[in-house]
Amino acid sequence: MTERHDVLIVGAGFAGMYAIYRFRNQGLDVLALEAGSDVGGTWYWNRYPGARCDVPSLEYSYGFSEALEQQWDWPEVFSAQPEILAYANHVADRFDLRRDIRFNTRVTSLDYLEDESLWRMHTDTGERHEAPFCVMATGCLSVPNMPDLPGADTFTGRVLHTGRWPKQPVDLSASRVGIIGTGSSGVQAIPELARQSEHLTVFQRSPVYTVPANRKRMRAEVQQEFRDNYRKIRDMQQHSPGGFSGFRPFRGEQSKAGNDPETATLSAVPAAEPVGPGAESVGILDLTPEQRRALVAQQGLGVLLSFRDAYVDPEANEAANETFRDGIRMLVEDPQTAERLCPRDYGIGCKRQVLDRDYYDTFNRDDVTLVDVRETPIETITPRGIRTSSGEHELDVLIYATGFDAMTGALLKTNITGAGGRRLTDKWEHGPVTFLGLALSGFPNLFTVTGPGSPSVLCNMIVAIEQHVNWIGDCIDYVRGHGYQAIEALPEAEDEWVAHVNEVAEGTMYTAPSCNSWYLGANIPGKPRIFMPYVGGYPRYRERCEQVAANDYEGFSFR
Ligand code: NA7
């Protein structure tokens, strides 16, 4: 039997949840399909110890409901995964979202029926759904990357991936644990795993530039000041390149009791945007190497993110990188381990900035071993552990913190076939091509929330999500209101947009030849090397989207 709806939504993370709410309020009949057993998306799947958002919670929260803003309490400035998932659950309950979500259901194919102007969806539970519109709310980091290591399936211990962490607590207390990967997930998990396990072995391919995260509790005064100013704050987000208001709680600051380091204002928030803040700050080349080192000794590694020149001038970048390495040498007691932890072949600003709690300190523990797999490569996974060129490391548990097939992975895995039987995998053979990261020529009435070519992961995701869902909702109303059956991006609009996305990324640290990040797809063997997010800034992007809509959806055709 085929169910018929107005809009099908794939995914019930933060994007899918808001899409249900928004489209329902427009009077549309929606159905969302979700592979997980509940809402939350990223925050549902990434339950590994230490998982935490790198954006302050007062900003990484929905802005569509004033009542929600006024009532939800955040316990910490940067919330941990359980709090964010609790928030998602609260939103689902509060707005009764679950009645329109089919859980434990994975979409296996999506086909466009041209004659009927309908999308037909099949699921792994044998369901069939049809709707004129389909919205892909599948997330940017939702398909885990499992490296193809020899012997991987022979390991007899437990295998886990940070992006698919079990719901039941994992007891590691008597376990020898190995972890592969030192990106954000690995860096967050490693200190916790070291505390929880009998012994931890870290298999590192690329060392990371990580700085201490703000770990403060939320002060009631700060939260209240945000609540009092939320309309202004949401407006400030709309005008910030990364979708962050940068709001400074003035009253909260004044009322701060003494110098309690465990209470928070947001003023001590490290940059969550991977670009260096503050044109007002000095250049690192204005300081002598001794002055730079003294600054790090006083203020910590995070200070190196605030030099205006480090992100734009290769010489300044290398000065910051070298000072960072000196900082690592100050923090890590064993000189050999410290050298292994020093990144050398890429610079600060190439990858997403990683924030940690006690990362470098963890390598001073007796029960933690660092293995540099460039020095001693992994030869094979064995039934008992991992064998590198220097010998076997016996393990009871092997954890992959090896990241995701980012931005395009989930879309390509869904088996999408558009008009004329054209498959998305063919359209994107040489890399993603979209108009505004929202729509695709050849795929009428299909929308992507925070798709490649939109600010997405370079922006506060919730801000990006709300903007996309609002735009899509308005577009659907426009199409229906004008009696059209379908809207489709024009190929020339798409080409022009892709050229612009590439142009603004050129010459930035993100696309330096030495840079191999998941932004570029460089973490997945065989994936085309294309810088996928839009780096031109959220306000510029948003204005372009608004202009397209105001000009009767220029760049689109209608049927
Ligand atoms: P990342 O940032 O892609 O990190 C993955 C890590 O896994 C990284 O250190 C990789 O090394 C390593 N890796 C991947 N494949 C292998 C193999 N085959 N052998 C050894 N090491 C490997 O993913 P995360 O989950 O940490 O973070 C993703 C985003 O989520 C993050 O940026 C935040 O936005 C939230 P490499 O650097 O490729 O040499």
Side-chain angles (χ1 to χ4, degrees):
M1 201 188 80
T2 305
E3 280 186 41
R4 186 71 186 269
H5 300 275
D6 293 330
V7 190
L8 294 170
I9 299 164
V10 187
F14 278 81
M17 290 168 68
Y18 178 51
I20 296 168
Y21 173 86
R22 174 57 152 82
F23 301 159
R24 211 195 249 169
N25 283 353
Q26 292 173 227
L28 297 168
D29 167 23
V30 299
L31 177 72
L33 294 300
E34 167 57 53
S37 66
D38 211 336
V39 296
T42 286
W43 304 104
Y44 169 91
W45 296 106
N46 286 268
R47 296 164 190 253
Y48 59 86
R52 189 173 287 276
C53 190
D54 58 3
V55 179
S57 297
L58 286 167
E59 304 244 14
Y60 189 90
S61 54
Y62 286 123
F64 69 81
S65 162
E66 287 193 38
L68 175 64
E69 285 172 344
Q70 294 302 318
Q71 283 166 20
W72 182 261
D73 288 330
W74 290 107
E76 291 182 274
V77 174
F78 284 75
S79 290
Q81 175 271 337
E83 287 306 324
I84 304 173
L85 188 59
Y87 175 73
N89 276 287
H90 171 79
V91 172
D93 292 341
R94 183 178 194 116
F95 301 105
D96 191 18
L97 301 181
R98 288 191 184 86
R99 74 177 146 92
D100 287 327
I101 307 174
R102 209 64 55 85
F103 291 108
N104 301 306
T105 306
R106 188 173 285 282
V107 177
T108 50
S109 67
L110 262 177
D111 298 285
Y112 190 60
L113 312 179
E114 253 174 298
D115 293 343
E116 297 153 77
S117 298
L118 283 177
W119 282 97
R120 175 177 290 164
M121 166 189 283
H122 286 97
T123 71
D124 64 353
T125 50
E127 292 168 35
R128 198 160 78 166
H129 303 284
E130 288 177 357
F133 298 95
C134 185
V135 175
M136 301 300 292
T138 41
C140 294
L141 295 159
S142 48
V143 176
N145 168 41
M146 279 300 259
D148 189 15
L149 295 170
D153 52 1
T154 65
F155 182 60
T156 51
R158 188 162 187 191
V159 177
L160 299 165
H161 191 291
T162 49
R164 285 287 179 275
W165 200 263
K167 281 193 222 161
Q168 301 307 326
V170 181
D171 180 6
L172 299 171
S173 55
S175 300
R176 296 161 301 173
V177 176
I179 183 167
I180 303 178
T182 52
S184 293
S185 306
V187 166
Q188 287 187 338
I190 283 163
E192 285 302 319
L193 295 171
R195 284 180 201 114
Q196 292 180 18
S197 64
E198 190 186 295
H199 188 275
L200 180 69
T201 308
V202 177
F203 296 88
Q204 169 196 273
R205 185 164 71 183
S206 302
V208 57
Y209 296 98
T210 171
V211 304
N214 177 324
R215 51 205 292 172
K216 293 172 180 172
R217 291 198 310 273
M218 181 65 72
R219 294 172 61 225
E221 294 88 338
V222 170
Q223 183 151 281
Q224 190 53 49
E225 198 164 345
F226 259 73
R227 286 177 175 155
D228 294 344
N229 289 282
Y230 249 132
R231 297 288 53 78
K232 184 170 129 195
I233 288 164
R234 298 301 182 196
D235 186 61
M236 288 162 82
Q237 289 176 333
Q238 295 300 313
H239 295 91
S240 133
F244 300 94
S245 75
F247 178 77
R248 294 283 179 256
F250 179 72
R251 289 200 322 262
E253 186 63 43
Q254 281 189 327
S255 69
K256 196 168 164 188
N259 287 323
D260 176 1
E262 289 303 311
T263 58
T265 69
L266 289 183
S267 55
V269 167
E273 299 170 67
V275 284
E280 71 286 358
S281 59
V282 290
I284 193 163
L285 296 178
D286 300 335
L287 305 179
T288 65
E290 291 70 34
Q291 286 173 319
R292 295 169 201 160
R293 278 194 288 274
L295 203 59
V296 169
Q298 274 165 18
Q299 297 186 31
L301 288 165
V303 73
L304 292 171
L305 307 184
S306 63
F307 290 107
R308 63 176 151 71
D309 50 355
Y311 296 89
V312 286
D313 173 354
E315 194 191 338
N317 187 257
E318 188 40 34
N321 303 339
E322 186 49 36
T323 314
F324 204 104
R325 290 188 281 268
D326 284 341
I328 295 173
R329 291 174 189 123
M330 287 184 230
L331 295 169
V332 178
E333 288 156 14
D334 174 49
Q336 236 185 356
T337 304
E339 288 313 310
R340 289 191 179 119
L341 286 167
C342 288
R344 287 191 178 77
D345 55 4
Y346 70 98
I348 294 171
C350 135
K351 299 187 184 186
R352 189 182 181 92
Q353 184 57 52
V354 178
L355 307 179
D356 72 85
R357 297 181 163 212
D358 310 327
Y359 183 66
Y360 293 115
D361 267 357
T362 300
F363 293 94
N364 294 329
R365 295 174 65 119
D366 296 336
D367 51 4
V368 174
T369 307
L370 177 67
V371 176
D372 178 343
V373 301
R374 293 209 179 148
E375 202 176 293
T376 53
I378 295 177
E379 288 178 345
T380 183
I381 312 275
T382 68
R384 291 187 313 179
I386 295 186
R387 195 168 71 228
T388 69
S389 59
S390 69
E392 188 169 20
H393 299 267
E394 289 193 12
L395 306 170
D396 304 304
V397 179
L398 173 55
I399 298 170
Y400 289 88
T402 43
F404 301 90
D405 184 354
M407 304 207 61
T408 54
L411 295 166
L412 290 170
K413 266 184 76 163
T414 307
N415 294 316
I416 305 176
T417 307
R422 186 158 184 223
R423 296 172 61 80
L424 184 63
T425 42
D426 293 332
K427 180 181 169 80
W428 283 5
E429 191 187 350
H430 303 294
V433 177
T434 69
F435 184 36
L436 299 169
L438 265 169
L440 306 143
S441 83
F443 297 77
N445 288 4
L446 180 81
F447 299 98
T448 51
V449 182
T450 63
S454 75
S456 56
V457 291
L458 297 184
C459 184
N460 178 346
M461 280 305 283
I462 310 275
V463 170
I465 282 168
E466 288 188 343
Q467 184 252 337
H468 263 193
V469 170
N470 290 337
W471 191 96
I472 295 165
D474 290 345
C475 179
I476 292 174
D477 269 356
Y478 183 96
V479 172
R480 288 161 55 103
H482 285 74
Y484 296 124
Q485 290 208 310
I487 181 169
E488 181 183 343
L490 292 168
E492 53 271 27
E494 217 174 39
D495 290 346
E496 176 258 343
W497 181 251
V498 170
H500 175 62
V501 171
N502 289 334
E503 183 194 314
V504 289
E506 236 175 73
T508 65
M509 288 300 300
Y510 296 122
T511 53
S514 61
C515 188
N516 289 310
S517 67
W518 58 260
Y519 292 141
L520 284 158
N523 61 329
I524 303 294
K527 192 163 170 169
R529 186 183 164 94
I530 306 266
F531 189 74
M532 294 181 284
Y534 177 64
V535 76
Y538 170 70
R540 186 172 169 193
Y541 172 81
R542 174 181 52 75
E543 281 162 21
R544 181 70 202 279
C545 293
E546 286 166 2
Q547 182 195 22
V548 165
N551 292 338
D552 293 315
Y553 295 89
E554 63 181 349
F556 286 90
S557 64
F558 293 92
R559 195 156 58 87

